[in-house]
Amino acid sequence: STWVYTHTGSGGGEPPPPPPPPPPPGAATYPADLLGDYWKLTTTLQGTGSMPLEVFKDARTGPDLDTYVVVGNWELHPDKDSILVTCPASGYTTPNSSNKRWELRQMLADGSDEREWPLTTSAPKLDVEVTVLGFEGNHIVLAQIHGQDEGGANDDLTVFRAEPNSDGTTYALWITHGDTTHGYLVNGNVAIGQKIHIGFRPGANKVNYIYQGQQISHEFTGLSYSTANYFKAGNYGQIKGSASSKTRIRLFRADIT
């Protein structure tokens, strides 16, 4: 894919050069080999005190995302073309959410700070399969644009959310509008295990959406968020089932163009 760096977040200065492209499918050694941009990973494991462990690329202390593997949570698929990301019902959470996550958050290319950008300059997208949803009411946020509202509070701007259907084999893919969970139904019957391509196409005061490589007709308009936006992707599990419940995705790609 083509990499365009248009904003360097709070660090300022010139945009960094793009990182090297991921290896071809089937040639990865570690999960992070399949991630073309710089990320941090938020986990359900214990970090400092009551905070969840965050894993950075080129980490100065703690585990390094470049070689990070946790069997059962963050590991290569046997085909070495994707990452199996499993979120349990138990574990540590971030201060502003009770939901568990194994989720990537966009960072600057040198890993020193969180990357931020205006809505008009970045187009995040990913290829993913939902492989385990659990039919106890579990949901998964697969991708989101996070930002700041007019009051300066951090909040999700819009997300792609997978919600199970009662048939046990399919799920509904929804787009949210801020706190409106059911902003737009993209597809009401996506098969568990089906690979989908989803993405955002932000613009001035609006966001358009990509599904299966095509821009859909729906757009979310009237936005008045700041330029401090960023992309998150992975398995942000909204687990409502028993303590043994879990959600799992197969993540093929997550990048920004």
Side-chain angles (χ1 to χ4, degrees), residues 80-252:
K80 298 185 178 182
D81 63 349
S82 53
I83 308 168
L84 294 177
V85 190
T86 305
C87 185
S90 59
Y92 289 81
T93 64
T94 56
N96 296 322
S97 175
S98 61
N99 292 313
K100 316 303 185 295
R101 72 183 81 200
W102 281 74
E103 187 180 41
L104 296 162
R105 196 267 194 226
Q106 189 183 6
M107 301 289 289
L108 294 179
D110 64 1
S112 64
D113 198 0
E114 296 175 339
R115 187 177 173 205
E116 299 173 346
W117 37 263
L119 279 176
T120 54
T121 61
S122 293
K125 59 182 182 291
L126 71 154
D127 294 331
V128 64
E129 291 178 8
V130 173
T131 62
V132 176
L133 189 52
F135 292 87
E136 303 169 294
N138 299 339
H139 300 169
I140 302 175
V141 170
L142 298 169
Q144 58 178 304
I145 295 177
H146 220 267
Q148 291 181 343
D149 61 25
E150 291 179 302
N154 287 327
D155 200 2
D156 54 292
L157 173 59
T158 184
V159 316
F160 282 94
R161 177 192 296 269
E163 300 185 5
N165 292 325
S166 59
D167 61 11
T169 62
T170 65
Y171 65 90
L173 182 65
W174 286 93
I175 288 169
T176 71
H177 294 172
D179 294 329
T180 302
T181 302
H182 291 164
Y184 179 78
L185 180 62
V186 179
N187 187 337
N189 290 282
V190 183
I192 296 292
Q194 177 185 343
K195 184 178 179 179
I196 60 172
H197 173 87
I198 55 177
F200 304 100
R201 186 167 289 169
N205 300 316
K206 69 176 184 178
V207 177
N208 293 101
Y209 302 88
I210 306 299
Y211 178 64
Q212 302 303 60
Q214 302 294 320
Q215 181 170 311
I216 63 177
S217 60
H218 176 71
E219 64 180 26
F220 182 19
T221 60
L223 304 181
S224 55
Y225 278 56
S226 76
T227 59
N229 302 289
Y230 55 91
F231 180 45
K232 302 175 82 172
N235 188 345
Y236 182 18
Q238 324 284 295
I239 298 177
K240 308 178 188 305
S242 64
S244 62
S245 187
K246 62 186 177 184
T247 57
R248 180 180 296 134
I249 65 169
R250 183 178 178 183
L251 181 62
F252 291 86

Side-chain angles (χ1 to χ4, degrees), residues 68-86:
Y68 190 63
V69 176
V70 178
V71 175
N73 294 111
W74 179 260
E75 56 193 326
L76 275 178
H77 187 274
D79 291 342
K80 298 185 178 182
D81 63 349
S82 53
I83 308 168
L84 294 177
V85 190
T86 305

